[in-house]
Amino acid sequence: MTAQQEWTGRWVADRAGVGLTGSDRLPELVGLALRENRKRAHLLVSTVLGKHVPQRPSVVHGSGLDLGRRVRELLGEDAAARAVVLGYAETATGLGHSVADGLDAPYLHSTRRAVDGVAPVGGFEEEHSHATSHLLLPADPALLAGDGPLVLVDDEFSTGNTVLNTIRELHGTNPRGHYVVVALVDLRDEADRRRLADTAAELGTRLDLVAAASGGVELPADILDRAERLIAEAGPAPALPSTAPAPLVRAALDWPAGLPDGGRHGFTAEHRGRLEAALPDLAARLAEALEPVGDGGRVLVLGFEELMYAPLRLAGALADLLPDGGERVRYSTTTRSPVLAVDDPGYAIRTRLAFPAHDDPDDSAPRERFAYNVAPGADPARRFDAVVLVVDDVADTPALHEGERALLTQLRQVTDRVVLAVLPSHRPSRPSRPAAVPSADLAVGPEVAPSAGPAAGLPGSAAGLPSPLHGPGFSSYRPDEVAWLLKDLSDVPLEAPTEEREEAVQSGGAHYAESLPVEYQPSPEYQELFHQALRVSARRIALAVGTVAETLVRERGRGLVLASLARAGTPVGVLIRRWLAFAHGLDTPHYAVSIIRGRGIDPVALRYLDAHHHAPDVVFVDGWTGKGAITRELAEALAGSAFNPELAVLADPGRCVRTYGTRDDFLIPSACLNSTVSGLISRTVLRADLIGPDDFHGAKHYTDLAGGDVSEAFLDTVADHFADVREEAAGAAARLAAEDRTPDWAGWAAVERISAEYGIDNVNLVKPGVGETTRVMLRRVPWRVLARRGAGADLDHVRLLAAQRGVPVEEVDDLPYSCVGLIHPRYSRGATGASGTAVLVKES
């Protein structure tokens, strides 16, 4: 603090009788304000924390780095290499992360935001706070299970109660020999110091403290009454000036996929390296959004409650990029803490914006939030020419945007330009395993914390379950794209000619899932037809993928777990996973599971999903609907369980699901091929002599067809259109959210009518839609194809297949699908019944 600067605690000191003693540095580090909180009337307002007072980002981050380096010196290199840093929400989340940077240690901060599917490993209370409960939600519970030093970071160390609560909680489950408490200021009195020392002795551990300054706070006996009177005398904050609102610009940062936005679930050295590499590009995106203000105006980067560290680092990178940015860029964050604002140079909180909570908090804290010292008040020199608001996507809600009191509305009244940057709220995809679960079961595949218990009707645990399969050993997909909950039957001869399979199935001698059709290398003519269809429809598919993904995020949240129905649903699951990474930065777990008509979904796969995930988060995915047989099969199989039975598909021409990209019957080119577009994996197999009660359903990996594999080409071609359709997909999902999407099963009614008209008398021999018709042509014995009159290029491949197999194509009117494939009924008039088998029916 220079001689020209007035101490920002003078107003409170003079009127409320509050004083600071001890280190001469204290007035440089803290000012004073009055809380609207009867538990503690005064507030020490840090000038270097970046919470209530805008500060240079280099000062905020540098303060934490210096403390972290001091801790490293205290511990020594060996102990420092095993240390873990724990910061406190909400005020010290950024400080704690900066200390971890200086120590080069993994980091976790407590949180007041519960996260579905992530079980707390501990919690504690902060008695004096306005919001007292803290949760610990590490993705890997082992983060807090080591024996190295635990470094606890808070902005101030006043009574020591919060630290004591934390140490007792964690020491009871995982004792360790050394704790280090870090704070900007140490303000304990002698009794508090003795109590902390006694606790360390009682627990048999060492406890050190590192602080930037130390001293004490002198309070009059009637401080609560004095503060209440001063707050009443101050009256309400003045209204903001009525001005034309500043423009609002949304910055597209392209936050790196899978990179945590902070330490809520843990932050590792690998994460630290990825962030450092990404910061220059992220700052450049912000600078573009700031133009022309970035040419010379003052800029505030404003974080959001616990989201302190990412905005801080963005502010620092922006200051490094902009000319004279070190003088022009400041950083602070919003807060839950209610504090009186007094527009006086001797008071730490000059101005206050109060606004409704916009992240749908589920705790009991008050629903009003605050941004301090953002508005200029009576001093025009304090005005910011632009404000960059950084929030996570959980907080990017209508409450942030809409209404006179919304934060964005108020920010646009106090500056010339507002930039909104939305980061993907990190949700862990690989949390640690409970100690009771054998690690061999859980070593591979995308996984999250197990749910509290097995789904109803699905008893079992992770113990004894088989492990997923991954490419390239099983399938041609990358190992991170999908985990196959299947048993490898690649060495088992299961194929039979199509006609023989049809006869066996329709005569009741076999279930269709007990054998496989022979798969051949597609002809050059047919492969070219596939590529032509893909070129024509790739953008349309990308839009459907984006619409489904955005709908799922809207309605099911960000903690999605994808379970695609093998195998036709698996390319769709991979695409949805890619979209969630592209548009939201999510690293979404994706599994492929088997479902078989007449036999249901694989129960062992369900046990695996339930043991490793929160069952309601699992979304079952398929490519399209026909008449809805699989939709019904899924609903019946999941009845009474904790799984959500709703199916998500790209195309729903059968009108039998609520989550879809379109209800048009259009060609999804993956339907044109078999394994060569599905990772070289066969249809799934269920046979008693091959699949035991604790096995996944089976499938084969056709490595001999690798020369014709177009699985990755299909995915890449569609994904290349994601950026082009992003806004359109978001708009489509918003429109669908406002529509009545209740299934009316119109497709099923059409199938029943066709079955009767053509004398088939069995709906299971009628396969509606372009996808199902293609399957009939490739796998079954087709009888004829019904094509909607005027249907165009979507049916070129169907016509080619029909010509190759000598199947007539009839053009008909009033067909709700592009086409319908009819299976040949020669083997029986009741072939492939509802159970998946049939009995031989005598010819009449």
Side-chain angles (χ1 to χ4, degrees):
M1 187 169 59
T2 66
Q4 290 77 29
Q5 292 175 317
E6 183 173 359
W7 178 47
T8 58
R10 177 190 51 77
W11 192 94
V12 173
D14 291 348
R15 290 165 175 79
V18 178
L20 298 182
T21 63
S23 171
D24 292 339
R25 287 203 64 200
L26 276 180
E28 298 178 16
L29 296 176
V30 296
L32 292 173
L34 297 178
R35 296 173 181 255
E36 296 177 3
N37 183 342
R38 287 290 297 179
K39 295 179 182 178
R40 181 185 288 183
H42 70 285
L43 176 70
L44 272 71
V45 181
S46 172
T47 61
V48 299
L49 185 65
K51 172 56 72 171
H52 304 86
V53 178
Q55 179 58 273
R56 294 180 179 87
S58 60
V59 171
V60 178
H61 191 221
S63 298
L65 290 175
D66 289 344
L67 289 168
R69 293 172 185 136
R70 288 178 57 187
V71 174
R72 173 172 288 279
E73 293 175 3
L74 170 71
L75 295 175
E77 290 301 319
D78 290 344
R82 297 184 294 114
V84 176
V85 179
L86 175 64
Y88 288 95
E90 66 174 52
T91 305
T93 60
L95 175 65
H97 210 143
S98 300
V99 170
D101 287 350
L103 186 55
D104 194 22
Y107 176 65
L108 175 75
H109 70 69
S110 66
T111 180
R112 294 177 176 124
R113 179 193 289 177
V115 178
D116 289 343
V118 184
V121 301
F124 49 89
E125 296 296 314
E126 185 179 6
E127 285 90 346
H128 67 265
S129 175
H130 54 280
T132 61
S133 296
H134 291 246
L135 299 172
L136 297 178
L137 303 177
D140 185 355
L143 182 69
L144 295 176
D147 60 358
L150 181 63
V151 181
L152 303 103
V153 183
D154 209 349
D155 58 320
E156 65 178 75
F157 199 37
S158 50
T159 64
N161 288 337
T162 303
V163 166
L164 282 178
N165 289 337
T166 309
I167 292 176
R168 289 187 183 279
E169 170 77 20
L170 297 178
H171 199 79
T173 56
N174 189 78
R176 62 182 76 226
H178 197 175
Y179 296 89
V180 180
V181 178
V182 177
L184 287 171
V185 292
D186 175 14
L187 301 173
R188 293 171 299 155
D189 61 23
E190 188 57 36
D192 291 328
R193 293 172 186 273
R194 283 197 306 270
R195 186 157 50 90
L196 199 66
D198 291 345
T199 300
E202 172 194 337
L203 297 176
T205 189
R206 175 182 171 185
L207 198 157
D208 289 307
L209 186 130
V210 174
S214 61
V217 181
E218 294 180 339
L219 300 173
D222 61 344
I223 179 60
L224 294 177
D225 293 333
R226 292 193 190 194
E228 190 171 14
R229 184 180 68 254
L230 289 169
I231 291 172
E233 291 173 354
L240 293 177
S242 179
T243 60
L248 173 64
V249 179
R250 186 180 286 264
L253 290 188
D254 287 338
W255 186 262
L259 177 65
D261 57 335
R264 181 179 287 117
H265 304 297
F267 199 92
T268 66
E270 185 270 337
H271 295 142
R272 187 171 289 120
R274 291 186 62 200
L275 177 61
E276 296 293 342
L279 280 173
D281 180 65
L282 295 170
R285 297 295 184 94
L286 286 181
E288 291 174 6
L290 281 168
E291 294 177 355
V293 175
D295 292 341
R298 296 181 74 235
V299 178
L300 173 68
V301 177
L302 183 64
F304 156 63
E305 295 185 30
E306 292 177 11
L307 185 65
M308 295 186 69
Y309 181 74
L312 168 62
R313 301 306 310 280
L314 289 170
L318 184 65
D320 291 341
L321 179 67
L322 295 180
D324 201 24
E327 294 299 319
R328 295 165 44 206
V329 177
R330 294 293 186 272
Y331 157 81
S332 64
T333 76
T334 66
T335 178
R336 295 182 175 203
S337 181
V339 184
L340 174 69
V342 177
D343 198 359
D344 185 292
Y347 189 84
I349 304 296
R350 300 282 297 273
T351 62
R352 165 171 123 164
L353 303 180
F355 53 92
H358 52 88
D359 61 338
D360 193 24
D362 55 3
D363 57 22
S364 59
R367 310 283 286 199
E368 194 167 55
R369 303 292 187 259
F370 308 93
Y372 297 116
N373 293 318
V374 174
D379 184 358
R382 300 174 64 247
R383 189 176 189 276
F384 291 104
D385 299 284
V387 175
V388 178
L389 176 63
V390 183
V391 301
D392 60 17
D393 53 15
V394 174
D396 186 20
T397 64
L400 177 66
H401 296 257
E402 300 171 4
E404 292 183 359
R405 296 188 66 246
L407 176 58
L408 282 175
T409 302
Q410 296 192 66
L411 290 178
R412 295 174 68 189
Q413 292 179 259
V414 299
T415 189
D416 296 330
R417 190 177 188 85
V418 176
V419 174
L420 176 62
V422 180
L423 306 184
S425 179
H426 181 63
R427 188 183 182 94
S429 61
R430 289 181 182 270
S432 194
R433 280 65 89 177
V437 179
S439 60
D441 269 349
L442 307 174
V444 292
E447 298 163 359
V448 299
S451 57
L458 299 169
S461 67
L465 290 173
S467 297
L469 300 173
H470 296 78
F474 187 83
S475 89
S476 60
Y477 290 133
R478 299 197 312 262
D480 62 309
E481 300 267 39
V482 59
W484 300 86
L485 300 186
L486 295 174
K487 180 178 181 179
D488 189 356
L489 301 177
S490 299
D491 296 330
V492 180
L494 292 166
E495 291 77 12
T498 300
E499 288 76 10
E500 290 182 17
R501 291 185 74 248
E502 194 70 42
E503 183 172 11
V505 169
Q506 293 194 27
S507 68
H511 188 281
Y512 77 87
E514 293 178 358
S515 63
L516 294 171
V518 178
E519 292 205 17
Y520 303 98
Q521 197 71 269
S523 68
E525 181 183 16
Y526 191 77
Q527 289 188 60
E528 176 52 37
L529 195 60
F530 163 80
H531 288 290
Q532 179 183 341
L534 180 57
R535 287 191 293 271
V536 170
S537 62
R539 187 186 188 280
R540 190 176 186 182
I541 298 167
L543 177 57
V545 168
T547 302
V548 171
E550 294 299 317
T551 299
L552 289 173
V553 171
R554 273 175 164 267
E555 298 184 352
R556 301 281 295 273
R558 296 171 53 81
L560 302 170
V561 178
L562 301 175
S564 60
L565 302 184
R567 66 184 167 181
T570 303
V572 177
V574 175
L575 285 170
I576 292 175
R577 182 181 186 276
R578 288 190 179 188
W579 180 281
L580 294 172
F582 155 76
H584 298 281
L586 298 176
D587 184 13
T588 305
H590 174 215
Y591 300 90
V593 301
S594 169
I595 188 169
I596 295 172
R597 184 164 46 81
R599 302 289 176 86
I601 198 166
D602 184 345
V604 181
L606 290 183
R607 284 168 50 202
Y608 184 95
L609 291 172
D610 185 61
H612 294 80
H613 298 276
H614 184 54
D617 289 341
V618 177
V619 178
F620 294 92
V621 175
D622 209 355
W624 58 86
T625 63
K627 55 183 173 289
I630 291 298
T631 307
R632 292 176 186 245
E633 191 83 40
L634 182 67
E636 292 173 5
L638 298 179
S641 78
F643 290 96
N644 187 327
E646 291 192 1
L647 186 65
V649 300
L650 294 191
D652 179 36
R655 300 181 65 86
C656 51
V657 301
R658 290 187 68 260
T659 305
Y660 52 83
T662 179
R663 278 181 164 160
D664 294 339
D665 184 20
F666 78 101
L667 174 62
I668 300 173
S670 58
C672 295
L673 300 172
N674 287 318
S675 65
T676 52
V677 78
S678 303
L680 299 179
I681 300 302
S682 73
R683 291 196 62 173
T684 57
V685 174
L686 180 59
R687 211 168 79 189
D689 61 326
L690 298 173
I691 307 299
D694 293 319
D695 289 334
F696 296 136
H697 289 183
K700 299 185 73 166
H701 179 198
Y702 291 123
T703 55
D704 56 310
L705 298 180
D709 187 21
V710 294
S711 303
E712 285 293 328
F714 171 72
L715 299 172
D716 292 343
T717 303
V718 175
D720 283 345
H721 291 271
F722 281 177
D724 181 42
V725 302
R726 181 174 185 172
E727 295 300 322
E728 192 175 348
R735 288 191 299 273
L736 286 175
E739 295 178 1
D740 181 4
R741 294 174 283 144
T742 305
D744 60 19
W745 296 87
W748 190 278
V751 167
E752 290 180 325
R753 173 176 57 80
I754 292 169
S755 176
E757 286 181 2
Y758 283 82
I760 299 174
D761 296 328
N762 192 302
V763 294
N764 290 304
L765 298 182
V766 180
K767 302 295 185 181
V770 63
E772 293 301 305
T773 300
T774 302
R775 287 178 164 188
V776 170
M777 305 301 293
L778 293 174
R779 304 176 189 167
R780 305 296 292 271
V781 178
W783 183 33
R784 64 186 68 188
V785 173
L786 309 182
R788 186 170 60 208
R789 195 177 307 279
D794 275 354
L795 300 189
D796 285 352
H797 74 293
V798 172
R799 295 188 180 95
L800 175 62
L801 288 172
Q804 290 176 344
R805 302 195 64 176
V807 177
V809 178
E810 298 180 17
E811 289 200 349
V812 298
D813 296 311
D814 301 324
L815 195 66
Y817 299 93
S818 297
C819 61
V820 175
L822 305 182
I823 295 173
H824 207 303
R826 76 167 63 153
Y827 300 106
S828 84
R829 299 182 65 82
T832 318
S835 67
T837 64
V839 295
L840 184 63
V841 177
K842 294 180 180 179
E843 296 288 344
S844 57

